[in-house]
Every structure is written in structure tokens, then in C-alpha cells.
């Protein structure tokens, strides 16, 4: 009996140790996290290498924005959120722009997690303060996380495996996970913007109770370097730098937040927005039109040097781009992969690139285009092993035929591509009757409404519409205002949209929101194509739980290859550099961060230039 009792007590002690964090090993506190390599900057580092610690403070930076805004509530996935709100709020950690995936303490002075990554704990800085002088507390962090998951579908999906946030010390917050070894979770939890619980649960100047579940145009309070100083609904916003910002001397902030004020001016017309830049009303512009970059920057301010132009490769070194026309497979007519492939044959990229972009673009051929993660050639090594484990669930062509886009550029190739498109449509059950493509069984015409958010996109889509009409597709463009576009996309109310997915070199949880079955019916998710495929889901899990860089690379390439083989989107194009133009008084360090422009954080105003 004694031995049995002793054994029982030993087992009980082991169980208590397994479920009680306080009885486990002492936590290891880190000043930073890194997903790929070791962190570049040691504990106690002075500043990031890419900043100018002596950058002067001052001046007003005037920026433009297309569209409108009707909310200052950054928690919600509804309403049109005002630009620049990240200036008002801090996160637990701050990313370095000269590393691929490293973050350093901001509100949190340190971070700790066990080897099995079953949880993560953040220790908050004692000096962290809200704009009203109140300390940032663990209760604020818990409130921010809980409300983000409750009120924002994107956040709910992103943090699906974070089951709770708990106060575990006077300055400590612990997030518990329902599965282990997801290496990304500690870092992405550090990216959550933190909101003041006491402010949101208080009342406004008129005594009305605030409600974080509703949009608001009351200037919100944060702990960040700027505050909302003035605004006109839907028109302008002015942020002013806070002299009393608690974190202004932190190493992660040295040489940053150099403008006294940052103003956003909204325009409903892209051409008017450009004219405002030409006239000097706006200080900085990122140009997304290759044709405009080639032909429209010949005004006097360019010739006199008052406006500078640069093409900066840095931001694209660590970003994989998929820009595409996205058919919505929630509509039956797009469920057949042959139909989706036919839609690609109708796009003549080479003609569009030459006539509209002066050959300044490249065709996208990967969901991770421009990075080492893009699938190329035929699968080999570990990537092939992963795909062979799924071979009964994926298209056979992934093993035999590398993905390529159709090539046009001259009338003969264009005609051949359109013939191939019609062949695919016939195989999928459609036929031409006169000049109209119809369903062979029902006689229903094949129609596509392409939903756009801006008239500036129309010139690139019109040639595609004309090409589709040549094969009998009743294609048309519908351009709507920002609010209507946002609402229709969030509710998946469209045939086809134009979208850009930007990938990091460390893909993870967001992939489930982009392509995962669980997101297909979740309104507000970024699974715009309506993908629901068991093999894709399995590959996403392999990406998320990869335990080495080599394993993650192989899993991502396998995922890329399967997504391409299903022809879920019609890949478009992109540039290999970010094109910017700005007033000469705007100044940046001689060496920009390797993976970014540093704008506007590390830029400053020098009127003597």
C-alpha cells in the first residue's frame, strides 16, 4: 500500500508541474525575437544602424490618400479606417527594417517562451504611458487582444490558436496556445497594437459611453509618438508629434518620428491627387503606374530639382508579391479549374506592358514572386517528398509541368491564346452561340463583373475586358466608391476583383487566412478566391509548423506549386522597385534600411536643401 501511495504522489507531483507555470523552470527573458537568423542587435544596443541619430526635428509632412475615411477605431473590420493611425499607437514589439523577421521590445521590455512554444509572456516597461499619463498595464494588453479577436474576423483567424491572455505578474501578460511549436506566434503577438482599456470604457466630452464595437470619429487616445490634432471627416487628418511621448528616447525609436506634424489629404480622383502633388500641395508620392512614371513626370518642379525621383529596390527584397485578377469560386461558374485557366489565356500581358507601361513591368508567376520561396522548375528533394505525400489530393501536373503564364504580344500569339481559352471553356461545358459564350446545358451566358476600387485601375483592365469579349464572355467593369467596395469585398459580393497579396520571407498563420478552408465563409477574411481544399490546408499547416528554415522553404514552395496548379487567380504584373517622388526638402539617411524605405519614420525635413 505504501509503495502505491508513493507512486500516486509522484504522478500527482508530475501532473502539477506540467500544468502549473509557476512550478516550472525559470523563464528565459529575451530582448528580441527572430524567425530566420539570430537577431542583429544585442541587448542594450544604442539604435538601429539605418537611422540618423542627429536628424533634426520639425516641419510638416503632407501626404495624400485616395478614397475617404469614417472611423478612428483601428480594432474593427468595418468602416473606412483613417490613414496614419499607427502613429497614435504602440505595439509590444517593434520590427527592424534591416532584418527579415526580427522584433525588439517597445511597450514590452522583454519576452519569454518555453522550448515547446506552448505560451509566451511579455514583461511591460514600467515607463510605458498613455497620452494622459496613465501607465500601460497588463489589463490593457488583455483588453486589446480580446477585443481584436472578438470584433475583427482577420484577427480572429490570425490568432485562432491563442486561447487566452492572462495577467501573470504585476507587469506580465501570458498568452496560452492550444497547440505547440508554432514558432511564429510569439512574434506576431508582439505586433498587436495596444489600446487603453480605461479610455474605451470611459465617456466622451459629452458624457456618452464609448463603445469599441462601433466606428467613431472621436480622436482616439494611444501611447504612440503622435496624437490626432485636427481632422475634417473624409477629407483631412493632422497628426502632431507628442513632446511628452514616453518612448522617444528608446533605442528602437532613436532617430525616428522626426516631423512635428504629418497631414493626410484625401482625394476621390487619382488624377486630381497627382495634380495636387505636381502643384506642391503634397510632399511625397509613391507612383504605382509605370506609364505615368515614364511620361507624366516632366513638369517644371522635376526639371528644376524641386522634386526628386528614386527607384528603391529595398522594400521588395523581402516581399513576395501576388497581384492578380481574382475570380470568386463561391460563384458556381468559377468552380471549374478549366474556366479559371481559360481566363488567364485571355490576358495579353505583353501587349498591355508594351502599350500601357512602356515595358516597365514583369509578369507575376508565383504567390511568392521575387523571393527564394517561389516554386521553380519541377519539384525536387524535400519539396517533392511533401508533394508525393499528397499526390492523390493535388493536380498531377505539379510533378510534370512547371507553371507558366501564356505569352502574347503579337496578333498571332493572341489569337492562339484565345483559341486555347475557348477550347478550355468547351471542355468545361460552354459553347459559342453567335457572339456569346453560353452554358451548353442551360443556355446561360457567361458573364463577369470586374469590381474595382479606383478608376485608375480601369485602363489596365479595359484591354482584358476587350479580349474576353472576343471569345463571347460578357465582361464589364464596375468601379465603386471606397466604402461600397470595402463592404462588397468583405461580404464576398463580387465575380472578380483586383487584389495584391504581399508575402514575407517567413510565411505563417496568415496563409490560413489567405487560402485556408476555415476562412472561406468568414466574412472579412482575405480568402478572396474562395479556396477550400484539403491538400492546401495540409500544406498550410506544414508551413506554419516547420521546425527549420529548410523545411519551411520546401513547404512554401510546395504550397505555391499547388496553388498555381489550381489556377485560382489570373496573375498580373509588378515592378521590381518602388518608385517614389518627393519634395527636395524631404531627406533620408544615405543608406536606407536594407528591407525598406524607412518612410516616414526615419526621414526628416531639411528646408536648406
Amino acid at each position: 500500500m505504501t509503495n502505491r501511495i508513493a507512486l500516486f504522489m509522484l504522478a500527482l507531483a508530475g501532473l502539477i508541474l506540467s500544468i502549473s507555470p509557476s512550478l516550472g523552470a525559470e523563464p528565459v527573458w529575451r530582448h528580441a525575437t527572430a524567425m530566420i537568423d539570430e537577431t542583429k542587435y544585442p541587448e542594450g544596443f544604442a539604435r538601429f544602424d539605418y537611422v540618423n541619430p542627429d536628424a533634426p526635428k520639425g516641419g510638416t509632412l503632407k501626404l495624400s490618400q485616395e478614397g475617404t475615411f469614417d472611423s478612428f477605431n483601428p480594432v474593427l473590420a468595418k468602416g473606412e479606417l483613417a490613414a496614419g493611425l499607427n502613429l497614435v499607437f504602440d505595439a509590444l514589439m517593434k520590427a527592424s527594417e534591416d532584418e527579415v523577421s526580427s522584433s525588439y521590445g517597445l511597450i514590452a521590455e522583454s519576452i519569454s517562451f518555453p522550448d515547446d512554444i506552448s505560451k509566451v509572456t511579455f514583461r511591460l516597461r514600467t515607463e510605458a504611458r498613455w497620452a494622459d499619463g496613465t501607465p500601460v498595464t497588463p489589463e490593457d494588453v488583455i483588453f486589446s487582444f480580446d477585443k481584436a479577436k472578438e470584433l475583427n474576423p482577420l484577427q480572429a483567424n490570425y490568432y485562432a490558436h491563442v486561447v487566452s491572455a492572462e495577467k501573470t505578474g504585476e507587469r506580465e501578460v501570458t498568452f496560452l496556445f492550444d497547440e505547440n511549436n508554432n514558432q511564429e506566434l510569439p512574434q506576431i503577438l508582439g505586433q498587436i497594437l495596444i489600446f487603453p482599456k480605461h479610455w474605451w470604457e470611459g465617456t466622451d466630452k459629452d458624457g456618452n459611453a464609448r463603445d469599441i464595437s462601433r466606428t467613431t470619429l472621436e480622436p482616439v487616445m494611444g501611447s504612440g509618438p503622435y496624437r490626432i490634432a485636427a481632422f475634417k471627416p473624409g477629407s483631412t487628418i493632422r497628426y502632431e508629434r507628442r513632446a511628452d511621448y514616453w518612448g522617444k528616447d528608446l533605442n528602437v525609436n532613436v532617430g525616428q518620428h522626426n516631423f512635428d506634424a504629418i497631414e493626410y489629404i484625401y482625394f476621390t480622383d487619382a488624377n486630381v491627387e497627382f495634380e495636387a502633388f505636381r502643384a506642391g500641395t503634397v510632399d511625397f508620392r509613391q507612383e504605382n503606374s509605370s506609364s505615368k512614371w515614364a511620361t507624366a513626370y516632366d513638369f517644371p518642379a522635376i526639371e528644376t530639382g524641386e522634386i526628386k525621383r528614386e527607384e528603391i529596390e529595398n522594400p521588395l527584397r523581402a516581399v513576395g508579391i501576388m497581384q492578380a485578377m481574382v475570380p470568386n469560386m463561391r460563384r458556381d461558374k468559377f468552380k471549374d479549374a478549366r474556366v479559371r485557366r481559360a481566363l488567364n489565356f485571355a490576358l495579353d500581358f505583353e501587349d498591355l506592358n508594351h502599350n500601357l507601361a512602356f515595358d516597365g513591368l514583369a509578369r507575376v508567376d508565383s504567390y511568392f514572386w521575387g523571393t527564394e520561396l517561389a516554386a521553380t522548375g519541377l519539384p525536387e528533394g524535400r519539396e517533392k517528398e511533401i508533394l508525393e505525400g499528397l499526390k492523390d489530393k493535388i493536380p498531377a501536373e505539379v510533378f510534370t509541368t512547371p507553371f507558366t503564364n501564356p505569352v502574347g504580344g503579337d496578333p498571332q500569339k493572341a489569337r492562339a491564346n484565345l483559341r486555347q481559352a475557348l477550347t478550355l471553356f468547351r471542355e468545361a461545358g460552354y459553347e459559342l452561340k453567335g457572339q456569346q459564350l453560353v452554358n451548353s446545358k442551360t443556355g446561360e451566358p457567361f458573364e463577369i463583373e470586374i469590381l474595382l476600387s479606383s478608376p485608375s485601375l480601369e485602363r489596365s483592365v479595359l484591354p482584358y475586358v476587350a479580349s474576353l469579349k472576343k471569345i463571347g464572355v460578357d465582361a464589364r467593369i464596375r468601379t465603386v466608391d471606397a466604402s461600397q467596395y470595402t463592404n462588397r469585398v468583405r461580404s464576398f459580393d463580387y465575380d472578380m476583383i483586383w487584389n495584391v497579396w504581399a508575402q514575407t520571407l517567413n510565411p505563417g498563420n496568415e496563409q490560413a487566412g489567405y487560402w485556408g478552408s476555415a476562412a472561406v465563409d468568414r466574412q472579412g477574411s482575405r480568402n478572396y478566391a474562395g479556396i477550400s481544399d484539403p491538400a492546401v490546408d495540409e500544406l498550410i499547416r506544414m508551413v506554419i509548423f516547420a521546425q527549420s528554415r529548410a523545411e519551411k522553404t520546401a513547404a512554401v514552395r510546395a504550397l505555391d506549386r499547388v496553388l498555381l496548379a489550381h489556377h485560382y487567380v489570373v496573375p498580373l504584373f509588378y515592378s521590381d522597385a518602388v518608385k517614389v517622388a518627393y519634395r527636395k526638402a524631404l531627406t533620408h539617411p544615405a543608406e536606407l534600411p536594407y528591407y525598406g524605405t524607412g518612410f516616414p519614420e526615419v526621414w526628416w525635413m531639411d528646408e536648406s536643401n
Side-chain angles (χ1 to χ4, degrees), residues 179-195:
E179 56 185 8
N180 298 350
N181 298 312
N182 185 334
Q183 298 184 27
E184 186 184 33
L185 279 178
Q187 186 164 79
I188 63 176
L189 282 164
Q191 299 167 359
I192 294 176
L193 294 180
I194 307 304
F195 310 118

Side-chain angles (χ1 to χ4, degrees), residues 382-501:
R382 178 59 183 147
E383 180 193 351
K384 185 177 181 181
E385 291 177 3
I386 290 172
L387 292 169
E388 286 175 339
L390 298 168
K391 67 179 180 180
D392 294 333
K393 302 177 183 178
I394 59 178
E397 65 192 77
V398 301
F399 299 102
T400 61
T401 310
F403 176 83
T404 57
N405 287 300
V407 176
D410 63 52
Q412 184 176 354
K413 291 177 181 176
R415 285 193 296 271
N417 286 338
L418 292 178
R419 284 196 296 270
Q420 182 61 38
L422 276 173
T423 297
L424 289 164
F425 269 118
R426 290 191 188 100
E427 292 174 1
Y430 292 87
E431 62 179 329
L432 270 178
K433 283 192 174 181
Q435 300 298 312
Q436 193 173 48
L437 187 70
V438 301
N439 186 298
S440 300
K441 294 181 179 178
T442 67
E444 182 182 2
F446 194 92
E447 302 174 338
I448 302 178
E449 180 186 84
I450 302 174
L451 184 68
L452 299 178
S453 61
S454 170
S456 63
L457 299 176
E458 292 177 3
R459 65 192 303 271
S460 296
V461 179
L462 282 170
Y464 183 49
V465 168
S467 184
L468 287 168
K469 288 183 180 295
K470 291 178 181 178
I471 55 174
V473 175
D474 182 10
R476 56 194 180 276
I477 293 172
R478 181 171 176 79
T479 304
V480 297
D481 62 47
S483 179
Q484 186 177 353
Y485 183 82
T486 298
N487 290 332
R488 287 189 61 176
V489 170
R490 283 174 180 163
S491 60
F492 307 124
D493 180 19
Y494 52 84
D495 286 343
M496 181 181 281
I497 59 172
W498 176 312
N499 189 62
V500 182
W501 288 276

Side-chain angles (χ1 to χ4, degrees), residues 6-161:
L7 288 171
F8 173 77
M9 295 302 292
L10 283 171
L12 180 61
L15 177 61
I16 292 171
L17 283 170
S18 70
I19 63 176
S20 175
S22 63
L23 297 178
E26 285 295 314
V28 176
W29 293 98
R30 303 167 171 87
H31 73 290
T33 62
M35 288 296 299
I36 296 179
D37 299 314
E38 294 296 319
T39 55
K40 174 180 178 180
Y41 298 97
E43 188 168 2
F45 70 98
R47 60 179 175 84
F48 292 135
D49 289 345
Y50 51 82
V51 306
N52 173 9
D54 301 317
K57 306 288 187 183
T60 296
L61 173 65
K62 295 181 179 180
L63 303 175
S64 66
Q65 195 78 11
E66 188 177 351
T68 186
F69 73 92
D70 59 14
S71 179
F72 290 138
N73 185 346
V75 177
L76 305 181
K78 59 183 179 180
E80 294 298 320
L81 192 64
L85 277 176
N86 59 302
L87 299 167
V88 175
F89 299 100
D90 282 329
L92 293 168
M93 310 284 285
K94 184 168 183 173
S96 159
E97 278 198 87
D98 58 353
E99 298 170 86
V100 171
S101 191
S102 294
S103 295
Y104 297 81
L106 184 51
I107 287 178
E109 67 181 13
S110 54
I111 179 175
S112 175
F113 48 87
D115 291 342
D116 65 357
I117 318 182
S118 56
K119 61 181 179 178
V120 62
T121 301
F122 295 91
R123 178 180 288 165
L124 309 187
R125 296 184 190 272
T126 56
E127 65 268 35
R129 292 286 188 278
W130 299 108
D132 64 1
T134 305
V136 180
T137 66
E139 287 80 4
D140 293 317
V141 178
I142 295 167
F143 173 80
S144 302
F145 172 75
D146 287 346
K147 291 303 179 182
K149 280 199 72 174
E150 174 190 346
L151 300 172
N152 190 312
L154 292 177
Q155 299 295 314
N157 182 74
Y158 203 39
Y159 299 110
H161 296 292

